[in-house]
Amino acid sequence: MRTRPLRAVLSALGIAIGIAAVVAVVGIPASGQRALQDELNRLGTNLLHAEPGQTFLGAEAKLPKTAVPMAKRIGPVLAAGGTGKTGHTVRRNDRVPEEETSGLAVLAAEPDLLDVLQGELEQGRFLDADTPGVVLGSVAATRLGIDRPGLQVWIDGQWFTVVGILRPMPLSTEIERSVLVGWTTAERRLGFDGHPGTIYVRAEDASVVEVRQVLGSTLNPRQPNEVKVDRPSDALAAKRLAENSFSALFLGLGGVALLVGGVGVANTMVISVLERRREIGLRRALGATRRQVRGQFLAESVLLSGSGGLVGVLVGVAVTAGYAASQSWPAVVPLPALLGGVGVAMVVGAVAGAYPAMRAARLSPTEALA
């Protein structure tokens, strides 16, 4: 390894690439999982929301106007609030064509909605019962080109002043893409019928499942089958799982790289045996046993692969830390991945060097020195 440094580096490079890929593939999903757990702990997994489904004939159902107060009467429910569809669109000004809606909805919102969702304001203030203005979700503000309160938007032939802008809300993405109008203001100025379109319920952690089971029948006792209830944190977890669905593919690619690296080490050791026949013959003539010669070449192969594995672990940790930092995740590399990376590399080296070592041990002194 000392006299052929370039060959040693190139041989260990394949092992290093394979181990780095394996460590990164294990570390990056682990970092994402930790970030997901931290995010769910911050946002809470006890949020439910209910929406109207379809009637028996396939028409769109409606939730009763009393649905939100009824939800608050469930014992383990900590808070409840709702939004309602006004049927209108929003534009930056009165000169933008009506068909250009930017994919944004105008929703009526109750004053306690922000507390139920545990959302935060980026700027300004939230709605109260008589607020004549609107609050923009984070995505809505970006699409409308509004970066501060005090500007106006055009809704149903009327100007509304922006009084607040929300921060991103991962568990309520529909709010991010909405313009929120006070419930009373929507009824008075936009012809809102008062029927909630989505009801958000925050329940005690230990009773989320029980509340979910009774929520539909509580909101709409006459037609509980027309109420859809889901848990946003489940959708967020499924989304993150889908984002990490390629981990198995990358792990396979890392295994292929490791295999190629092992073949490279084996090839290097075979060539080394051919080039060092005279050395082997001299050692045998001086009294070295076959076991000692075999151990020499096997140790060299394991050391070569182990060095590559150590470098690969360091590269894999650096890649994981860099990617986690770019996503604002905590960097997590499981200890088994670190120890296993070096261990697997040494095993690969042992397997790759077994045949060359046995071949070197079988050489007789006279044959090797000929």
Side-chain angles (χ1 to χ4, degrees):
M1 290 178 66
R2 187 178 66 252
T3 58
R4 299 282 195 278
L6 182 59
R7 176 185 295 177
V9 170
L10 293 177
S11 299
L13 183 61
I15 298 291
I17 293 174
I19 294 298
V22 171
V23 171
V25 164
V26 172
I28 290 175
S31 300
Q33 184 67 24
R34 175 67 61 81
L36 174 62
Q37 291 175 354
D38 293 345
E39 186 174 15
L40 289 179
N41 289 337
R42 178 175 59 85
L43 297 173
T45 58
N46 59 344
L47 179 66
L48 300 170
H49 52 74
E51 298 178 343
Q54 292 184 333
T55 66
F56 182 75
L57 299 177
E60 184 176 353
K62 280 189 175 184
L63 293 176
K65 294 182 179 181
T66 57
V68 174
M70 291 295 291
K72 294 179 179 179
R73 296 177 62 182
I74 301 175
V77 169
L78 303 175
T83 61
K85 298 178 181 179
T86 65
H88 297 293
T89 58
V90 59
R91 297 188 297 282
R92 182 64 180 84
N93 54 56
D94 56 350
R95 297 187 179 183
V96 177
E98 292 186 4
E99 59 271 12
E100 294 185 14
T101 64
S102 301
L104 306 177
V106 178
L107 302 179
E110 295 190 328
D112 55 355
L113 178 66
L114 194 62
D115 294 333
V116 177
L117 298 178
Q118 295 182 357
E120 296 179 352
L121 284 161
E122 184 71 33
Q123 298 181 61
R125 61 183 179 84
F126 197 65
L127 305 166
D128 55 38
D130 299 319
T131 300
V134 298
V135 170
L136 305 182
S138 57
V139 175
T142 300
R143 293 182 182 177
L144 291 171
I146 294 177
D147 58 358
R148 64 185 185 278
L151 302 178
Q152 292 187 315
V153 293
W154 186 254
I155 303 174
D156 190 32
Q158 305 172 67
W159 290 106
F160 285 80
T161 301
V162 176
V163 298
I165 299 176
L166 299 175
R167 290 183 177 177
M169 304 174 69
L171 292 186
S172 306
T173 54
E174 67 281 358
I175 301 296
E176 296 180 337
R177 300 188 299 269
S178 300
V179 175
L180 304 179
V181 183
W183 200 272
T184 305
T185 302
E187 291 179 327
R188 187 174 62 249
R189 298 182 59 182
L190 299 177
F192 173 53
D193 61 7
H195 289 275
T198 303
I199 295 178
Y200 301 89
V201 174
R202 185 75 65 175
E204 295 177 358
D205 291 334
S207 305
V208 172
V209 176
E210 290 78 4
V211 172
R212 185 175 184 174
Q213 292 173 346
V214 302
L215 189 57
S217 57
T218 302
L219 299 182
N220 192 352
R222 293 184 177 180
Q223 288 90 23
N225 59 306
E226 296 181 0
V227 182
K228 296 188 301 182
V229 181
D230 58 28
R231 191 176 182 179
S233 58
D234 294 341
L236 181 59
K239 178 183 176 182
R240 285 290 172 82
L241 180 62
E243 291 174 352
N244 294 328
S245 61
F246 289 105
S247 294
L249 174 61
F250 291 127
L251 189 62
L253 293 177
V256 171
L258 195 59
L259 177 61
V260 172
V263 172
V265 170
N267 182 59
T268 298
M269 297 308 301
V270 169
I271 295 175
S272 180
V273 170
L274 296 176
E275 289 180 342
R276 297 159 65 184
R277 290 166 64 94
R278 295 179 64 82
E279 175 195 334
I280 296 170
L282 181 59
R283 291 200 66 209
R284 291 295 309 278
L286 292 176
T289 64
R290 290 186 173 183
R291 181 178 180 181
Q292 289 172 331
V293 172
R294 184 167 58 245
Q296 173 192 345
F297 281 87
L298 193 59
E300 183 177 333
S301 176
V302 171
L303 183 59
L304 190 65
S305 298
S307 302
L310 181 60
V311 173
V313 166
L314 296 177
V315 173
V317 170
V319 170
T320 300
Y323 185 83
S326 69
Q327 300 294 320
S328 299
W329 294 348
V332 178
V333 181
L335 183 60
L338 301 178
L339 301 179
V342 178
V344 168
M346 296 178 70
V347 170
V348 170
V351 173
Y355 171 71
M358 289 187 293
R359 182 173 179 176
R362 287 198 299 264
L363 288 175
S364 65
T366 54
E367 179 186 358
L369 291 171

